[in-house]
Amino acid sequence: NSETEEQASAPLSNSNDKAVVKQGSHPNRYVFEYNGQQIYEWEQSLEEVTMYVNAPKGKKANDFRIIIETNRLRIGLKGFDRFFIDEPTFGKVDTSESSWYIDDSIIHIILIKVARGSVWETPLLGKADNTSGGKSAKGIVDPVTKEKMTQELMLERFAEENPGFDFRDAKFNGAAPDPREFMGGIKYT
């Protein structure tokens, strides 16, 4: 119905300009738009942030130059001097484990979090401007959406630490704890 469609397209970001975050095409996925155009879709788990970028028509994997750095992501086409995405990442990335591939004209970029269990409010911080002190924070989700993300990651952590238990219908009373720090933190085994 139209009310549900309106809710699905309602902005989930603290945006005061042309950057907007909306609910994505799948549950727990988010879309970053700028000037009404989708730039990428993304989701996260305890270990990774996955971005989905529509590839220009007719381009194959070997046409792209994608550079994943500890604090930056660059996406461009070979033979061009500029990247169409060149922005700092929200958190630190494990470059040795991160990767990308193309499937059905969509570039899948898997950024492995250095701080496993951390909640990323956006994959990319956007281009800095003179008023932001080096970080523009475009596309960061609102506090309600961040809380939803925190709860999703806590439930994922509970499921990982308690195999055999079903947490799909579990709910939190109040704010969810930080999945990275809760009860002594995440064990890296």
Side-chain angles (χ1 to χ4, degrees), residues 31-89:
V31 174
F32 174 70
E33 290 183 351
Y34 191 80
N35 280 341
Q37 179 178 349
Q38 179 176 319
I39 306 301
Y40 55 82
E41 197 166 0
W42 69 283
E43 63 188 344
Q44 69 180 308
S45 67
L46 287 170
E47 295 187 9
E48 64 190 37
V49 172
T50 305
M51 296 175 61
Y52 307 92
V53 181
N54 291 326
K57 293 205 184 298
K59 299 297 180 189
K60 298 188 179 347
N62 61 359
D63 295 324
F64 289 93
R65 206 169 55 149
I66 298 179
I67 302 169
I68 301 171
E69 298 174 345
T70 304
N71 290 306
R72 183 168 217 81
L73 175 65
R74 296 181 170 131
I75 305 172
L77 290 168
K78 290 180 181 175
F80 290 86
D81 62 344
R82 294 190 185 158
F83 295 94
F84 53 85
I85 291 180
D86 182 0
E87 298 180 11
T89 56

Short mmCIF file of all heavy atoms in Angstrom, two decimals, residues 31-89:
data_model
loop_
_atom_site.label_atom_id
_atom_site.label_comp_id
_atom_site.label_asym_id
_atom_site.label_seq_id
_atom_site.Cartn_x
_atom_site.Cartn_y
_atom_site.Cartn_z
N VAL A 31 20.33 2.36 1.46
CA VAL A 31 20.69 2.99 0.20
C VAL A 31 21.19 4.39 0.48
O VAL A 31 20.53 5.15 1.20
CB VAL A 31 19.47 3.06 -0.76
CG1 VAL A 31 19.81 3.84 -2.01
CG2 VAL A 31 18.99 1.67 -1.12
N PHE A 32 22.34 4.74 -0.08
CA PHE A 32 22.83 6.11 -0.01
C PHE A 32 22.53 6.77 -1.35
O PHE A 32 22.94 6.28 -2.40
CB PHE A 32 24.33 6.17 0.27
CG PHE A 32 24.88 7.57 0.21
CD1 PHE A 32 24.55 8.49 1.19
CD2 PHE A 32 25.68 7.96 -0.84
CE1 PHE A 32 25.03 9.79 1.13
CE2 PHE A 32 26.17 9.25 -0.91
CZ PHE A 32 25.84 10.17 0.08
N GLU A 33 21.77 7.87 -1.30
CA GLU A 33 21.44 8.64 -2.50
C GLU A 33 22.02 10.03 -2.39
O GLU A 33 22.12 10.58 -1.28
CB GLU A 33 19.92 8.77 -2.66
CG GLU A 33 19.21 7.51 -3.01
CD GLU A 33 17.71 7.73 -3.22
OE1 GLU A 33 17.21 8.84 -2.92
OE2 GLU A 33 17.05 6.78 -3.67
N TYR A 34 22.36 10.59 -3.52
CA TYR A 34 22.80 11.98 -3.59
C TYR A 34 22.12 12.63 -4.78
O TYR A 34 22.15 12.07 -5.88
CB TYR A 34 24.33 12.06 -3.72
CG TYR A 34 24.84 13.46 -3.51
CD1 TYR A 34 24.99 13.97 -2.22
CD2 TYR A 34 25.13 14.27 -4.58
CE1 TYR A 34 25.43 15.27 -2.01
CE2 TYR A 34 25.58 15.57 -4.39
CZ TYR A 34 25.73 16.06 -3.10
OH TYR A 34 26.16 17.34 -2.90
N ASN A 35 21.48 13.76 -4.55
CA ASN A 35 20.72 14.44 -5.61
C ASN A 35 19.68 13.52 -6.24
O ASN A 35 19.45 13.57 -7.45
CB ASN A 35 21.64 14.99 -6.70
CG ASN A 35 22.28 16.30 -6.31
OD1 ASN A 35 21.83 16.99 -5.42
ND2 ASN A 35 23.36 16.63 -6.99
N GLY A 36 19.07 12.64 -5.43
CA GLY A 36 18.03 11.75 -5.92
C GLY A 36 18.54 10.55 -6.70
O GLY A 36 17.75 9.76 -7.21
N GLN A 37 19.85 10.38 -6.80
CA GLN A 37 20.43 9.25 -7.54
C GLN A 37 21.09 8.28 -6.56
O GLN A 37 21.86 8.69 -5.70
CB GLN A 37 21.47 9.76 -8.54
CG GLN A 37 22.12 8.65 -9.33
CD GLN A 37 23.12 9.19 -10.35
OE1 GLN A 37 23.18 10.37 -10.62
NE2 GLN A 37 23.91 8.29 -10.90
N GLN A 38 20.78 6.99 -6.71
CA GLN A 38 21.41 5.99 -5.85
C GLN A 38 22.89 5.90 -6.18
O GLN A 38 23.28 5.71 -7.32
CB GLN A 38 20.77 4.62 -6.07
CG GLN A 38 21.40 3.55 -5.20
CD GLN A 38 20.74 2.20 -5.31
OE1 GLN A 38 19.53 2.11 -5.36
NE2 GLN A 38 21.55 1.16 -5.37
N ILE A 39 23.72 6.05 -5.14
CA ILE A 39 25.17 5.92 -5.30
C ILE A 39 25.59 4.48 -4.97
O ILE A 39 26.34 3.87 -5.70
CB ILE A 39 25.92 6.92 -4.39
CG1 ILE A 39 25.41 8.36 -4.64
CG2 ILE A 39 27.42 6.81 -4.60
CD1 ILE A 39 25.57 8.86 -6.06
N TYR A 40 25.09 3.97 -3.85
CA TYR A 40 25.34 2.58 -3.48
C TYR A 40 24.31 2.11 -2.47
O TYR A 40 23.60 2.90 -1.86
CB TYR A 40 26.76 2.38 -2.92
CG TYR A 40 27.10 3.26 -1.74
CD1 TYR A 40 26.71 2.93 -0.44
CD2 TYR A 40 27.85 4.42 -1.92
CE1 TYR A 40 27.02 3.73 0.64
CE2 TYR A 40 28.17 5.23 -0.84
CZ TYR A 40 27.76 4.88 0.43
OH TYR A 40 28.08 5.68 1.50
N GLU A 41 24.25 0.80 -2.32
CA GLU A 41 23.44 0.16 -1.30
C GLU A 41 24.43 -0.57 -0.39
O GLU A 41 25.51 -0.97 -0.85
CB GLU A 41 22.47 -0.82 -1.97
CG GLU A 41 21.33 -1.25 -1.11
CD GLU A 41 20.21 -1.93 -1.89
OE1 GLU A 41 20.30 -2.09 -3.13
OE2 GLU A 41 19.25 -2.35 -1.23
N TRP A 42 24.10 -0.75 0.89
CA TRP A 42 25.06 -1.40 1.78
C TRP A 42 24.37 -2.11 2.94
O TRP A 42 23.23 -1.84 3.25
CB TRP A 42 26.07 -0.40 2.29
CG TRP A 42 25.51 0.64 3.24
CD1 TRP A 42 24.78 1.73 2.90
CD2 TRP A 42 25.66 0.70 4.65
NE1 TRP A 42 24.45 2.46 4.01
CE2 TRP A 42 24.99 1.85 5.11
CE3 TRP A 42 26.29 -0.12 5.59
CZ2 TRP A 42 24.92 2.19 6.45
CZ3 TRP A 42 26.24 0.24 6.93
CH2 TRP A 42 25.57 1.39 7.34
N GLU A 43 25.13 -3.03 3.55
CA GLU A 43 24.69 -3.75 4.74
C GLU A 43 25.93 -4.12 5.54
O GLU A 43 27.05 -4.01 5.03
CB GLU A 43 23.89 -4.99 4.36
CG GLU A 43 24.66 -6.01 3.57
CD GLU A 43 23.79 -7.14 3.04
OE1 GLU A 43 22.67 -7.31 3.52
OE2 GLU A 43 24.25 -7.85 2.13
N GLN A 44 25.72 -4.54 6.79
CA GLN A 44 26.87 -4.92 7.60
C GLN A 44 26.56 -6.13 8.47
O GLN A 44 25.39 -6.44 8.74
CB GLN A 44 27.34 -3.76 8.46
CG GLN A 44 26.41 -3.35 9.57
CD GLN A 44 26.96 -2.18 10.36
OE1 GLN A 44 28.11 -2.22 10.81
NE2 GLN A 44 26.16 -1.14 10.49
N SER A 45 27.62 -6.80 8.86
CA SER A 45 27.55 -7.90 9.82
C SER A 45 28.60 -7.59 10.89
O SER A 45 29.24 -6.53 10.86
CB SER A 45 27.85 -9.23 9.13
OG SER A 45 29.20 -9.27 8.70
N LEU A 46 28.81 -8.51 11.82
CA LEU A 46 29.84 -8.30 12.84
C LEU A 46 31.21 -8.08 12.22
O LEU A 46 32.00 -7.28 12.71
CB LEU A 46 29.91 -9.50 13.80
CG LEU A 46 28.77 -9.66 14.80
CD1 LEU A 46 28.87 -11.01 15.50
CD2 LEU A 46 28.78 -8.52 15.80
N GLU A 47 31.49 -8.79 11.14
CA GLU A 47 32.83 -8.79 10.57
C GLU A 47 33.04 -7.88 9.36
O GLU A 47 34.17 -7.51 9.07
CB GLU A 47 33.21 -10.21 10.15
CG GLU A 47 33.31 -11.14 11.31
CD GLU A 47 33.85 -12.51 10.94
OE1 GLU A 47 34.30 -12.69 9.80
OE2 GLU A 47 33.81 -13.39 11.82
N GLU A 48 31.97 -7.55 8.64
CA GLU A 48 32.19 -6.85 7.36
C GLU A 48 31.07 -5.87 7.03
O GLU A 48 29.98 -5.94 7.57
CB GLU A 48 32.31 -7.86 6.24
CG GLU A 48 31.06 -8.67 5.99
CD GLU A 48 31.27 -9.84 5.04
OE1 GLU A 48 32.34 -10.47 5.07
OE2 GLU A 48 30.34 -10.12 4.27
N VAL A 49 31.42 -4.96 6.13
CA VAL A 49 30.46 -4.06 5.50
C VAL A 49 30.50 -4.40 4.02
O VAL A 49 31.58 -4.44 3.41
CB VAL A 49 30.85 -2.58 5.71
CG1 VAL A 49 29.97 -1.65 4.90
CG2 VAL A 49 30.78 -2.22 7.20
N THR A 50 29.34 -4.67 3.44
CA THR A 50 29.27 -5.00 2.02
C THR A 50 28.53 -3.88 1.30
O THR A 50 27.44 -3.50 1.70
CB THR A 50 28.54 -6.34 1.79
OG1 THR A 50 29.20 -7.36 2.54
CG2 THR A 50 28.55 -6.72 0.31
N MET A 51 29.17 -3.37 0.26
CA MET A 51 28.58 -2.31 -0.56
C MET A 51 28.21 -2.90 -1.92
O MET A 51 28.90 -3.79 -2.43
CB MET A 51 29.58 -1.16 -0.76
CG MET A 51 29.94 -0.45 0.52
SD MET A 51 31.22 0.81 0.26
CE MET A 51 30.41 1.91 -0.90
N TYR A 52 27.13 -2.35 -2.50
CA TYR A 52 26.66 -2.77 -3.82
C TYR A 52 26.57 -1.52 -4.68
O TYR A 52 25.78 -0.63 -4.39
CB TYR A 52 25.29 -3.45 -3.72
CG TYR A 52 25.27 -4.58 -2.71
CD1 TYR A 52 24.91 -4.34 -1.39
CD2 TYR A 52 25.63 -5.86 -3.08
CE1 TYR A 52 24.90 -5.37 -0.46
CE2 TYR A 52 25.62 -6.89 -2.16
CZ TYR A 52 25.25 -6.64 -0.84
OH TYR A 52 25.25 -7.66 0.08
N VAL A 53 27.40 -1.46 -5.71
CA VAL A 53 27.45 -0.30 -6.59
C VAL A 53 27.06 -0.75 -7.99
O VAL A 53 27.65 -1.71 -8.52
CB VAL A 53 28.86 0.32 -6.62
CG1 VAL A 53 28.91 1.54 -7.52
CG2 VAL A 53 29.33 0.67 -5.20
N ASN A 54 26.10 -0.08 -8.61
CA ASN A 54 25.73 -0.43 -9.99
C ASN A 54 26.88 -0.07 -10.92
O ASN A 54 27.36 1.05 -10.92
CB ASN A 54 24.47 0.33 -10.41
CG ASN A 54 23.24 -0.17 -9.68
OD1 ASN A 54 23.13 -1.35 -9.36
ND2 ASN A 54 22.33 0.74 -9.39
N ALA A 55 27.31 -1.05 -11.68
CA ALA A 55 28.40 -0.83 -12.63
C ALA A 55 27.85 -0.17 -13.89
O ALA A 55 26.73 -0.45 -14.30
CB ALA A 55 29.06 -2.16 -12.98
N PRO A 56 28.66 0.71 -14.51
CA PRO A 56 28.22 1.27 -15.79
C PRO A 56 27.97 0.15 -16.80
O PRO A 56 28.67 -0.86 -16.80
CB PRO A 56 29.40 2.14 -16.22
CG PRO A 56 30.14 2.45 -14.95
CD PRO A 56 29.93 1.25 -14.07
N LYS A 57 26.97 0.31 -17.62
CA LYS A 57 26.58 -0.72 -18.59
C LYS A 57 27.76 -1.13 -19.48
O LYS A 57 28.54 -0.30 -19.92
CB LYS A 57 25.44 -0.21 -19.46
CG LYS A 57 24.16 -0.02 -18.68
CD LYS A 57 22.94 -0.13 -19.58
CE LYS A 57 21.67 0.14 -18.85
NZ LYS A 57 21.36 -0.75 -17.78
N GLY A 58 27.86 -2.43 -19.68
CA GLY A 58 28.87 -2.98 -20.57
C GLY A 58 30.26 -3.10 -19.98
O GLY A 58 31.17 -3.56 -20.64
N LYS A 59 30.45 -2.73 -18.74
CA LYS A 59 31.78 -2.80 -18.12
C LYS A 59 31.96 -4.12 -17.39
O LYS A 59 31.06 -4.65 -16.79
CB LYS A 59 32.00 -1.64 -17.14
CG LYS A 59 31.91 -0.27 -17.78
CD LYS A 59 33.00 -0.09 -18.80
CE LYS A 59 32.92 1.28 -19.44
NZ LYS A 59 33.82 1.43 -20.56
N LYS A 60 33.19 -4.64 -17.51
CA LYS A 60 33.55 -5.89 -16.85
C LYS A 60 34.56 -5.61 -15.75
O LYS A 60 35.08 -4.50 -15.65
CB LYS A 60 34.13 -6.85 -17.88
CG LYS A 60 33.14 -7.22 -18.97
CD LYS A 60 33.71 -8.31 -19.84
CE LYS A 60 32.84 -8.80 -20.95
NZ LYS A 60 31.48 -8.48 -21.02
N ALA A 61 34.83 -6.61 -14.93
CA ALA A 61 35.72 -6.44 -13.78
C ALA A 61 37.08 -5.85 -14.16
O ALA A 61 37.60 -4.98 -13.47
CB ALA A 61 35.91 -7.77 -13.05
N ASN A 62 37.63 -6.29 -15.30
CA ASN A 62 38.96 -5.79 -15.67
C ASN A 62 38.94 -4.35 -16.20
O ASN A 62 39.98 -3.78 -16.49
CB ASN A 62 39.65 -6.74 -16.65
CG ASN A 62 38.89 -6.91 -17.94
OD1 ASN A 62 37.81 -6.33 -18.12
ND2 ASN A 62 39.43 -7.73 -18.83
N ASP A 63 37.76 -3.73 -16.32
CA ASP A 63 37.65 -2.32 -16.71
C ASP A 63 37.78 -1.39 -15.51
O ASP A 63 37.91 -0.18 -15.67
CB ASP A 63 36.30 -2.05 -17.39
CG ASP A 63 36.15 -2.79 -18.71
OD1 ASP A 63 37.16 -2.93 -19.42
OD2 ASP A 63 35.02 -3.24 -19.00
N PHE A 64 37.74 -1.96 -14.29
CA PHE A 64 37.70 -1.13 -13.08
C PHE A 64 39.04 -1.06 -12.38
O PHE A 64 39.85 -1.98 -12.44
CB PHE A 64 36.65 -1.66 -12.09
CG PHE A 64 35.26 -1.42 -12.56
CD1 PHE A 64 34.58 -2.38 -13.29
CD2 PHE A 64 34.62 -0.22 -12.30
CE1 PHE A 64 33.30 -2.16 -13.74
CE2 PHE A 64 33.34 0.02 -12.75
CZ PHE A 64 32.68 -0.95 -13.47
N ARG A 65 39.22 0.04 -11.69
CA ARG A 65 40.34 0.25 -10.78
C ARG A 65 39.70 0.47 -9.41
O ARG A 65 39.13 1.54 -9.16
CB ARG A 65 41.14 1.47 -11.23
CG ARG A 65 42.55 1.46 -10.83
CD ARG A 65 43.33 2.53 -11.53
NE ARG A 65 42.74 3.84 -11.31
CZ ARG A 65 43.40 4.98 -11.25
NH1 ARG A 65 44.69 4.98 -11.44
NH2 ARG A 65 42.80 6.11 -11.02
N ILE A 66 39.77 -0.53 -8.54
CA ILE A 66 39.18 -0.44 -7.21
C ILE A 66 40.31 -0.63 -6.21
O ILE A 66 40.99 -1.66 -6.22
CB ILE A 66 38.05 -1.47 -7.02
CG1 ILE A 66 36.93 -1.18 -8.03
CG2 ILE A 66 37.54 -1.44 -5.59
CD1 ILE A 66 35.76 -2.12 -7.99
N ILE A 67 40.48 0.37 -5.38
CA ILE A 67 41.56 0.36 -4.39
C ILE A 67 40.94 0.44 -3.00
O ILE A 67 40.24 1.40 -2.68
CB ILE A 67 42.54 1.54 -4.62
CG1 ILE A 67 43.11 1.48 -6.03
CG2 ILE A 67 43.62 1.54 -3.56
CD1 ILE A 67 43.87 2.72 -6.46
N ILE A 68 41.17 -0.60 -2.22
CA ILE A 68 40.68 -0.65 -0.84
C ILE A 68 41.87 -0.39 0.07
O ILE A 68 42.83 -1.16 0.09
CB ILE A 68 40.04 -2.02 -0.53
CG1 ILE A 68 38.87 -2.31 -1.48
CG2 ILE A 68 39.59 -2.08 0.93
CD1 ILE A 68 38.32 -3.72 -1.40
N GLU A 69 41.81 0.73 0.79
CA GLU A 69 42.87 1.10 1.71
C GLU A 69 42.34 1.01 3.15
O GLU A 69 41.14 0.87 3.36
CB GLU A 69 43.36 2.52 1.42
CG GLU A 69 43.95 2.66 0.03
CD GLU A 69 44.29 4.10 -0.34
OE1 GLU A 69 43.84 5.03 0.35
OE2 GLU A 69 45.01 4.28 -1.33
N THR A 70 43.22 1.14 4.12
CA THR A 70 42.83 1.03 5.52
C THR A 70 41.74 2.02 5.91
O THR A 70 40.84 1.68 6.66
CB THR A 70 44.07 1.23 6.43
OG1 THR A 70 45.06 0.29 6.05
CG2 THR A 70 43.73 1.06 7.88
N ASN A 71 41.82 3.23 5.37
CA ASN A 71 40.85 4.28 5.73
C ASN A 71 40.20 4.93 4.52
O ASN A 71 39.67 6.04 4.63
CB ASN A 71 41.55 5.37 6.55
CG ASN A 71 41.92 4.89 7.93
OD1 ASN A 71 41.09 4.38 8.66
ND2 ASN A 71 43.20 5.01 8.26
N ARG A 72 40.24 4.29 3.35
CA ARG A 72 39.73 4.93 2.14
C ARG A 72 39.33 3.88 1.11
O ARG A 72 39.93 2.83 1.01
CB ARG A 72 40.81 5.85 1.56
CG ARG A 72 40.41 6.63 0.37
CD ARG A 72 41.47 7.72 0.06
NE ARG A 72 40.81 8.90 -0.39
CZ ARG A 72 40.24 9.83 0.37
NH1 ARG A 72 40.26 9.72 1.66
NH2 ARG A 72 39.64 10.87 -0.14
N LEU A 73 38.29 4.21 0.32
CA LEU A 73 37.87 3.37 -0.81
C LEU A 73 37.86 4.22 -2.06
O LEU A 73 37.33 5.34 -2.06
CB LEU A 73 36.47 2.80 -0.56
CG LEU A 73 35.87 1.99 -1.72
CD1 LEU A 73 36.67 0.71 -1.97
CD2 LEU A 73 34.41 1.67 -1.45
N ARG A 74 38.44 3.68 -3.12
CA ARG A 74 38.47 4.36 -4.41
C ARG A 74 37.93 3.42 -5.48
O ARG A 74 38.37 2.27 -5.58
CB ARG A 74 39.88 4.79 -4.77
CG ARG A 74 40.43 5.80 -3.82
CD ARG A 74 41.83 6.22 -4.23
NE ARG A 74 42.20 7.36 -3.43
CZ ARG A 74 43.33 7.47 -2.77
NH1 ARG A 74 44.23 6.51 -2.85
NH2 ARG A 74 43.59 8.53 -2.06
N ILE A 75 36.97 3.92 -6.27
CA ILE A 75 36.40 3.15 -7.37
C ILE A 75 36.44 4.01 -8.61
O ILE A 75 35.94 5.13 -8.62
CB ILE A 75 34.93 2.75 -7.09
CG1 ILE A 75 34.82 2.00 -5.75
CG2 ILE A 75 34.38 1.90 -8.23
CD1 ILE A 75 33.39 1.76 -5.32
N GLY A 76 37.03 3.47 -9.68
CA GLY A 76 37.09 4.20 -10.93
C GLY A 76 37.25 3.26 -12.10
O GLY A 76 37.31 2.03 -11.93
N LEU A 77 37.31 3.84 -13.27
CA LEU A 77 37.53 3.06 -14.49
C LEU A 77 38.97 3.22 -14.93
O LEU A 77 39.54 4.32 -14.84
CB LEU A 77 36.60 3.55 -15.60
CG LEU A 77 35.12 3.23 -15.39
CD1 LEU A 77 34.25 3.99 -16.39
CD2 LEU A 77 34.87 1.73 -15.51
N LYS A 78 39.57 2.14 -15.40
CA LYS A 78 40.93 2.21 -15.93
C LYS A 78 40.96 3.17 -17.11
O LYS A 78 40.00 3.25 -17.88
CB LYS A 78 41.41 0.82 -16.36
CG LYS A 78 41.65 -0.10 -15.20
CD LYS A 78 42.11 -1.46 -15.67
CE LYS A 78 42.33 -2.38 -14.48
NZ LYS A 78 42.68 -3.74 -14.90
N GLY A 79 42.04 3.90 -17.23
CA GLY A 79 42.19 4.84 -18.33
C GLY A 79 41.69 6.25 -18.01
O GLY A 79 41.85 7.15 -18.82
N PHE A 80 41.08 6.43 -16.86
CA PHE A 80 40.62 7.75 -16.44
C PHE A 80 41.47 8.21 -15.26
O PHE A 80 41.90 7.40 -14.45
CB PHE A 80 39.14 7.72 -16.04
CG PHE A 80 38.22 7.51 -17.21
CD1 PHE A 80 37.92 6.22 -17.65
CD2 PHE A 80 37.67 8.59 -17.88
CE1 PHE A 80 37.09 6.02 -18.74
CE2 PHE A 80 36.83 8.39 -18.97
CZ PHE A 80 36.54 7.11 -19.41
N ASP A 81 41.69 9.52 -15.16
CA ASP A 81 42.55 10.04 -14.11
C ASP A 81 41.84 10.27 -12.78
O ASP A 81 42.47 10.57 -11.78
CB ASP A 81 43.24 11.33 -14.55
CG ASP A 81 42.26 12.45 -14.85
OD1 ASP A 81 41.07 12.16 -15.02
OD2 ASP A 81 42.70 13.61 -14.93
N ARG A 82 40.51 10.12 -12.73
CA ARG A 82 39.76 10.34 -11.50
C ARG A 82 38.91 9.12 -11.15
O ARG A 82 38.51 8.36 -12.03
CB ARG A 82 38.84 11.54 -11.64
CG ARG A 82 39.61 12.82 -11.79
CD ARG A 82 38.70 14.00 -11.70
NE ARG A 82 39.49 15.19 -11.97
CZ ARG A 82 39.00 16.31 -12.38
NH1 ARG A 82 37.71 16.41 -12.58
NH2 ARG A 82 39.77 17.33 -12.59
N PHE A 83 38.64 8.98 -9.87
CA PHE A 83 37.75 7.93 -9.38
C PHE A 83 36.35 8.50 -9.25
O PHE A 83 36.18 9.68 -8.92
CB PHE A 83 38.22 7.44 -8.01
CG PHE A 83 39.57 6.76 -8.04
CD1 PHE A 83 40.72 7.47 -7.78
CD2 PHE A 83 39.67 5.41 -8.33
CE1 PHE A 83 41.96 6.86 -7.81
CE2 PHE A 83 40.90 4.79 -8.36
CZ PHE A 83 42.05 5.51 -8.11
N PHE A 84 35.32 7.71 -9.50
CA PHE A 84 33.97 8.23 -9.30
C PHE A 84 33.54 8.10 -7.84
O PHE A 84 32.62 8.79 -7.40
CB PHE A 84 32.93 7.68 -10.28
CG PHE A 84 32.83 6.19 -10.41
CD1 PHE A 84 32.05 5.45 -9.55
CD2 PHE A 84 33.49 5.53 -11.44
CE1 PHE A 84 31.93 4.08 -9.70
CE2 PHE A 84 33.38 4.16 -11.59
CZ PHE A 84 32.59 3.44 -10.71
N ILE A 85 34.19 7.25 -7.07
CA ILE A 85 34.06 7.25 -5.61
C ILE A 85 35.48 7.27 -5.05
O ILE A 85 36.31 6.42 -5.40
CB ILE A 85 33.29 6.01 -5.09
CG1 ILE A 85 31.82 6.08 -5.50
CG2 ILE A 85 33.41 5.90 -3.57
CD1 ILE A 85 30.97 4.90 -5.06
N ASP A 86 35.76 8.24 -4.21
CA ASP A 86 37.07 8.39 -3.58
C ASP A 86 36.83 9.06 -2.23
O ASP A 86 36.85 10.27 -2.11
CB ASP A 86 37.99 9.24 -4.46
CG ASP A 86 39.38 9.39 -3.87
OD1 ASP A 86 39.65 8.83 -2.79
OD2 ASP A 86 40.22 10.08 -4.49
N GLU A 87 36.56 8.21 -1.20
CA GLU A 87 36.14 8.74 0.08
C GLU A 87 36.72 7.94 1.23
O GLU A 87 37.00 6.75 1.09
CB GLU A 87 34.61 8.74 0.18
CG GLU A 87 33.96 9.61 -0.86
CD GLU A 87 32.45 9.62 -0.78
OE1 GLU A 87 31.89 9.11 0.21
OE2 GLU A 87 31.83 10.15 -1.71
N PRO A 88 36.86 8.59 2.39
CA PRO A 88 37.29 7.86 3.59
C PRO A 88 36.21 6.90 4.07
O PRO A 88 35.02 7.17 3.91
CB PRO A 88 37.54 8.95 4.63
CG PRO A 88 37.05 10.22 4.05
CD PRO A 88 36.70 10.00 2.62
N THR A 89 36.65 5.79 4.64
CA THR A 89 35.71 4.82 5.20
C THR A 89 35.33 5.23 6.62
O THR A 89 36.06 5.98 7.28
CB THR A 89 36.32 3.41 5.22
OG1 THR A 89 37.56 3.45 5.95
CG2 THR A 89 36.56 2.89 3.82
#
